[in-house]
Amino acid sequence: QLQKDLEEVKKLLTNATRKRVRDVLVAEKQKLELEIKNQPPPKPKDVAEEEKSSLGGYTVKINNYGWDQSDKFVKIYISLNGVQKLPAENVQVNFTERSFDLLVKNLNGKNYTMTFNNLLKPISVEGSSRKVKTDMVLVMCKKKREEKWDCLTQVEKESKEKEKAAYDTADPSEGLMNILKKMYAEGDDEMKRTINKAWVESREKQYKGDIPMDI
């Protein structure tokens, strides 16, 4: 899916002529390339198929979570009704120095997964763990260094820095453009199509001399 988004952005880039439109597309292209780069390598087909068949049911990707931190740990809270009733081996977390992935098997006939790649700072694999509580899984990532994390992942940090830089501008039209960039970067396929359509229509009107354009 990410690769398809990237190909579409590259296609739009070849047709874009206005600098600000190109800037939006270049920023989105870089974001997608970073996300693709940080994806874990695909598992061999036979291994992936074996895991899939052993799970049964269907798999749900977890997107909602909460997190906080202490001096030594980053803690991620994932709400899952009834998870405490599962056997311990059905709740698995695999850690690396800069990532973790959670797999909860056969909870009410479904499997649940959550993956965090490219964590903001390195963690101790040996010191990290998970705890199952009532209707909740707590993932404990042990910090390698006792320092504050501003966010969970490198991608989040870069996104926040770009957003801050974008809004630090006194030019109102620039501010509007930055809002569009943010909407485009975070939007789904439908949102991207809507914004692209608006740009095309605006350019057509500009060429006809109907309205002045600043993008």
Side-chain angles (χ1 to χ4, degrees):
Q1 194 64 40
L2 287 174
Q3 192 62 44
K4 287 181 181 177
D5 287 348
L6 180 59
E7 287 168 9
E8 188 170 326
V9 168
K10 285 180 177 177
K11 199 180 297 179
L12 289 167
L13 252 177
T14 60
N15 297 325
T17 56
R18 305 290 294 175
K19 182 178 183 301
R20 293 187 180 181
V21 174
R22 287 185 63 83
D23 287 346
V24 172
L25 293 171
V26 167
E28 178 65 10
K29 175 173 169 285
Q30 290 172 343
K31 181 172 179 285
L32 286 167
E33 286 173 343
L34 184 62
E35 286 185 32
I36 290 169
K37 180 183 173 186
N38 291 328
Q39 278 188 318
K43 293 179 180 177
K45 190 174 180 183
D46 55 341
V47 175
E49 288 299 319
E50 185 182 324
E51 285 187 359
K52 191 174 179 183
S53 62
S54 69
L55 289 174
Y58 65 94
T59 300
V60 178
K61 188 175 180 181
I62 302 169
N63 292 314
N64 296 323
Y65 63 92
W67 76 285
D68 66 9
Q69 60 186 309
S70 63
D71 290 341
K72 295 183 178 180
F73 288 92
V74 170
K75 307 169 190 177
I76 297 92
Y77 302 87
I78 301 108
S79 296
L80 288 169
N81 288 335
V83 69
Q84 73 278 6
K85 298 173 185 175
L86 292 176
E89 62 269 18
N90 281 34
V91 182
Q92 303 170 359
V93 183
N94 293 315
F95 297 95
T96 74
E97 191 175 73
R98 293 297 289 270
S99 72
F100 74 84
D101 61 86
L102 165 71
L103 171 62
V104 178
K105 295 191 286 188
N106 197 22
L107 175 60
N108 301 321
K110 301 174 188 174
N111 308 302
Y112 293 84
T113 65
M114 170 180 268
T115 300
F116 274 90
N117 291 315
N118 206 19
L119 291 170
L120 185 66
K121 298 177 188 293
I123 61 173
S124 164
V125 174
E126 298 77 15
S128 298
S129 61
R130 61 106 178 107
K131 293 181 181 177
V132 177
K133 299 177 176 286
T134 304
D135 298 332
M136 180 184 290
V137 177
L138 170 59
V139 178
M140 308 272 291
C141 296
K142 175 81 182 298
K143 297 177 179 178
K144 277 210 165 181
R145 294 185 297 274
E146 294 185 14
E147 55 187 328
K148 184 183 176 185
W149 289 26
D150 296 325
C151 46
L152 277 178
T153 66
Q154 190 66 33
V155 172
E156 280 181 56
K157 181 186 177 186
E158 290 172 5
S159 176
K160 281 185 178 181
E161 286 173 350
K162 283 180 185 175
E163 189 176 319
K164 183 177 184 303
Y167 287 100
D168 287 347
T169 173
D171 183 347
S173 65
E174 193 73 25
L176 175 62
M177 196 62 199
N178 291 327
I179 291 170
L180 280 175
K181 286 182 185 180
K182 185 173 187 294
M183 288 170 62
Y184 190 95
E186 296 179 359
D188 56 16
D189 290 344
E190 187 61 36
M191 175 64 75
K192 289 181 171 68
R193 278 194 290 271
T194 302
I195 293 175
N196 285 332
K197 184 181 176 187
W199 284 335
V200 170
E201 289 176 353
S202 296
R203 284 207 298 273
E204 286 174 353
K205 287 180 182 178
Q206 184 190 11
Y207 294 148
K208 291 175 185 175
D210 293 344
I211 58 169
M213 277 297 295
D214 192 30
I215 58 171

